[in-house]
Amino acid sequence: MQAIFPFALLTTGHALMTALVVIQGLAGNQEVAADIALVQGAALALFFAFSANARSLILSAGSERTAAAFLKTRLILAVPLFLGVVTLSVTVSGVAFWFAVPLVLRRLCEWLSEVALSELERTGKRAFVLPFVILDIATWLFVAAALIWTPTHATTAMWIWAVVPLVICAVGCAGLVKRKLASHQNLDLLPHLGSSAVVGVTVYVFRLLIVLLVGKSAGGDLITAFAIGSLAGTIVGSVVGPSLVLHDHRSGAGLVRRVTLLLVFMLLAAAGITALATGLLGEGSVFLGKSTSFWWATVLSLVGGAVMVVAQILRLSLIQRPGGGSAFGADVTANVLVIAAIPFFYYLVGREALGATYLATSVGALLVYGASNLDLNMSDRARRLRESVLPLLYFLVLFPVFVQIESGLFRSTEFLFDSGGVISRLPVPLSVIACFAGLIVLGRFEAARFAFGFIFFAFVAMLVSGTLTTVDDELAQQSKLILTAQFLLPMFAMAFGQMAGAIRISVERVARAFLSVLLLIVPIQLLVSWMSGISVLRPDLGAFSVYQHLQYVPAVLGAAYVFCAFVLWDRSRTDRRIVFLLGPVIGIYAAASGSMLAIAVVVTGLGLRAIAPAAREGRAQLIALAVASTIALGAYNTIAEPDYLSAKVTTTDSGEVSLLNFSARIPIWRHYSSGITESVSAFLIGHQHQPDRERFPSAHNYYLDLLYNFGFVGLLPVLAVILLTLVLCWRYRATIIARPPLLGLAFAVAFTVLLDNSFKVGLRQPYPGMFTFFMWGLLMAQLRHLGSSDGRSAIRNHD
């Protein structure tokens, strides 16, 4: 214990700034508190983003070369990052320049000193610690007092406090520079950089979004309440936690457990006392200049702080586990979801809901980090038991059942249901719950590092372009952050797909779950429609209704059926008979939907299956399946009233045949294209506002939509993943063609990603987006297996 806490005290800079936010907020300086919090968030977005979990890695290192490598990197990045944080603080967050610069300098000095202090702690050199701790706290008290009572002296106090960390670590840095700064050390820092980056960026966006939603004064109050609750979690995560975990790894003394229990008890006790006092005061009362809503937010934040303490210990255990570790995937899941959730909390429940956001964040972090730790320590029997739940989650990914927050299960007879932009009326598919439950159930976040990398870079790209296009426009910033959340949410299904794909025979299990959905939904929806006396699909099935049942859902179910035909055809005679009998029904279903894309995926997919490799005795039956399904589709369209295909096709006077749907979308595509190419800025970072929804409710093209709103910068991560997928598919084309399940998976992904989203915006819609990204992640996992197999074969051949 004596070897731990002196150095922990020296790394309290972030905690001290958080405490400064609390003091200013409680003193009635809400706007000052908000400004400090925004500068601190901007510093986290860049300085912490490039910290790469340095403290944990240095403490667990075997030599000082690790510290030297970190120090050298930070010296190179110091000036550009300093300028970047100042820019974020002043231009985006609206903090005064004179106020922001010394605070940013303070964070820069702490960032540089962290390396030397961590190395000094690793080697146990602590003779000079106490005097500098006293100096640091004394100057901090000067700043806190000056901001409250003598604002004219605040700038001077802030500049003095800013440079204290450099004085503190001068001796340690000097020795490190002399001995090892010139040495070369190769560190695998990429996962750790991503891990710290997502945490830092999310904290900044979290605070910025709170201020944008409720204003700087009210936002300062909320951030103060959050800071009170998060202070313990901050100290554990960045100050004493790394030392405690390292101490336990070395000695096995159980110190982490005892300190964690003590902090949790203290925080819960503080929450209970605050709740009791607030309840006694009654609604409308004011204490220390703060309303009861502030104190209830503080109560929830203190409970969240207790939860976050445990979550931070679990996170540090991931990073410092023997043999090296990373929390990148878990960090992306736990933090990016915060940004996606805040607008929904706000617009669903109202301003009061924001008081619970830190608690919700803490619970999410605990679930994610806990699941990741559980996966690492799980027995084989427990793993098998856990994986037995997965077929149900695969089933729910495709199952087109939706819920509304205001009324529960979605039931509507409207063929084109409009939520009116009200989140509580928006039908949310069960696939959203299934995908995020799958992430927690599996907990194999490192197995989906590729997917999480994609999500993180997409998040950063959209955030950068959105920030640059909405400077000085708070409403536009708010709208752009909400749109970012809408684009990001379905992407998490890729991580679930990649995790699931790491499990043996996962593709077959997914296909069987999908086939169960098709057998349940398709015949029933057709029968209900016919019993109603109409030939077009009805949205309501009695117990529930299918949202977007004429466009998005039929194309998804058609792609799922083709996937099942590829995967299950050669598995058994029973599977073959079920797939064969269902084929004509799927053809009729596609025709009844009137969806040209659903028709296209069934016809082309079954045609490809007929010529793809198959067992010899199954070839004629595959051809019969393709023919029977196509005939059923065409025959139903002929006898149906109206004739859907004919209604969508027209012949001009010159004899030219054109699709009405396609023709109607050309003006929309032209509008979006002209907007994208109107200037270099519009092409690179997009537009400040979305097009008028009355005239252009949809771009009818996901890529045009993304390009218009976030520019080429926002589109680049998606294009990069598409290109990488194509390259890998081309590299392993012989293997893909020879394996029908893999070919069917590749076809389903190619159809939904490249064709379907060229005519719709399915990748930003929850139901089709979750399905498509899940299948995409499953494909990437299979391609990764092929790469690993090739690698092992090459090694064997070489031997």
Side-chain angles (χ1 to χ4, degrees), residues 48-49 52-53 189-200 315 319 326-329 331-332 335 456:
F48 190 83
N53 299 316
L189 295 182
L190 189 58
H192 296 286
L193 279 170
S195 180
S196 59
V198 71
V199 174
R315 179 179 183 271
I319 298 170
S326 167
F328 174 59
D331 281 334
V332 172
N335 287 277
F456 171 66

Side-chain angles (χ1 to χ4, degrees), residues 16-17 19-25 27-37 98-100 102-103 139-159 161:
L16 287 177
M17 198 169 287
L20 200 61
V21 172
V22 173
I23 290 173
Q24 298 307 311
N29 294 339
Q30 291 95 334
E31 295 196 7
V32 172
D35 283 340
I36 297 172
W98 69 267
F99 190 84
L103 291 176
T139 52
W140 173 81
L141 289 172
F142 182 27
V143 172
L147 287 171
I148 297 173
W149 290 299
T150 57
T152 54
H153 298 100
T155 304
T156 304
M158 290 163 65
W159 279 103
W161 183 55

Side-chain angles (χ1 to χ4, degrees), residues 687-743:
H687 288 74
Q688 187 178 48
H689 300 285
Q690 299 181 62
D692 181 10
R693 286 185 57 83
E694 294 295 327
R695 297 178 55 203
F696 304 101
S698 172
H700 293 289
N701 183 298
Y702 175 81
Y703 306 101
L704 279 178
D705 192 19
L706 187 54
L707 194 58
Y708 185 94
N709 287 295
F710 294 99
F712 185 73
V713 171
L715 181 64
L716 190 57
V718 177
L719 291 182
V721 176
I722 291 175
L723 180 60
L724 178 61
T725 307
L726 292 174
V727 168
L728 291 176
C729 287
W730 178 256
R731 179 183 300 171
Y732 302 118
R733 60 190 180 279
T735 305
I736 292 174
I737 293 172
R739 298 183 185 178
L742 194 52
L743 180 60

Side-chain angles (χ1 to χ4, degrees), residues 157 197-198 205 225 259 297 316 356 466 485 522 534-535 579 592 672 684 696:
V198 71
V205 177
V259 173
L316 291 169
V522 172
I534 61 173
S535 53
V579 171
Y672 274 81
L684 290 177
F696 304 101

Side-chain angles (χ1 to χ4, degrees), residues 534-536 591-592 633-644:
I534 61 173
S535 53
V536 66
L633 189 157
Y636 186 83
N637 179 73
T638 301
I639 64 175
E641 294 292 339
D643 182 341
Y644 300 116

Side-chain angles (χ1 to χ4, degrees), residues 177-519:
V177 170
K178 287 179 182 178
R179 290 190 299 273
K180 294 293 182 181
L181 193 56
S183 66
H184 296 281
Q185 169 79 354
N186 294 321
L187 298 174
D188 183 17
L189 295 182
L190 189 58
H192 296 286
L193 279 170
S195 180
S196 59
V198 71
V199 174
V201 170
T202 304
V203 170
Y204 171 66
V205 177
F206 175 85
R207 294 176 177 182
L208 180 62
L209 188 53
I210 292 292
V211 170
L212 291 175
L213 287 172
V214 300
K216 185 170 285 189
S217 180
D221 256 352
L222 276 175
I223 292 172
T224 300
F226 297 154
I228 292 172
S230 67
L231 190 57
T234 299
I235 293 173
V236 169
S238 59
V239 181
V240 301
S243 303
L244 289 171
V245 172
L246 177 65
H247 183 271
D248 265 17
H249 282 168
R250 289 178 174 177
S251 66
L255 186 59
V256 170
R257 182 175 58 84
R258 293 196 298 272
V259 173
T260 301
L261 288 175
L262 177 62
L263 286 173
V264 168
F265 173 78
M266 292 172 60
L267 286 165
L268 292 179
I273 293 170
T274 307
L276 180 61
T278 304
L280 291 174
L281 285 173
E283 293 296 326
S285 301
V286 175
F287 179 67
L288 293 180
K290 301 297 179 185
S291 65
T292 52
S293 61
F294 168 85
W295 292 113
W296 283 121
T298 303
V299 169
L300 295 176
S301 297
L302 286 167
V303 176
V307 177
M308 186 60 78
V309 166
V310 181
Q312 288 295 334
I313 291 296
L314 292 173
R315 179 179 183 271
L316 291 169
S317 298
L318 289 176
I319 298 170
Q320 294 191 30
R321 68 178 182 266
S326 167
F328 174 59
D331 281 334
V332 172
T333 306
N335 287 277
V336 175
L337 280 179
V338 175
I339 305 305
I342 289 176
F344 293 102
F345 266 110
Y346 179 76
Y347 288 109
L348 183 64
V349 181
R351 182 168 173 169
E352 298 80 11
L354 294 180
T357 50
Y358 182 71
L359 175 58
T361 300
S362 303
V363 172
L366 179 63
L367 289 174
V368 171
Y369 297 131
S372 193
N373 275 276
L374 184 63
D375 177 67
L376 294 173
N377 302 296
M378 189 175 287
S379 65
D380 291 339
R381 181 180 179 181
R383 290 180 190 276
R384 289 192 297 270
L385 180 62
R386 179 185 63 179
E387 290 170 8
S388 65
V389 180
L390 292 176
L392 174 61
L393 298 179
Y394 301 153
F395 180 91
L396 294 177
V397 167
L398 188 66
F399 197 39
V401 173
F402 300 78
V403 294
Q404 294 172 295
I405 296 174
E406 73 172 13
S407 58
L409 203 62
F410 174 63
R411 293 178 180 177
S412 173
T413 58
E414 297 179 42
F415 274 67
L416 295 175
F417 177 80
D418 184 8
S419 65
V422 180
I423 290 181
S424 61
R425 298 189 69 234
L426 182 68
V428 179
L430 294 183
S431 57
V432 173
I433 301 172
C435 285
F436 288 109
L439 295 179
I440 301 300
V441 168
L442 283 173
R444 298 179 173 182
F445 293 96
E446 291 308 299
R449 185 180 292 182
F450 171 81
F452 285 119
F454 161 60
I455 294 168
F456 171 66
F457 283 112
F459 172 50
V460 172
M462 292 183 199
L463 185 63
V464 168
S465 61
T467 299
L468 293 175
T469 55
T470 57
V471 175
D472 298 329
D473 190 335
E474 292 186 359
L475 289 177
Q477 285 178 331
Q478 177 182 323
S479 176
K480 205 51 92 71
L481 286 172
I482 294 171
L483 188 62
T484 298
Q486 187 178 357
F487 272 98
L488 286 173
L489 188 66
M491 294 180 181
F492 281 90
M494 177 182 279
F496 177 40
Q498 197 172 3
M499 286 186 192
I503 301 172
R504 190 174 62 87
I505 66 170
S506 56
V507 173
E508 181 180 342
R509 290 176 177 173
V510 170
R512 293 192 184 283
F514 284 2
L515 187 62
S516 301
V517 175
L518 295 169
L519 290 171

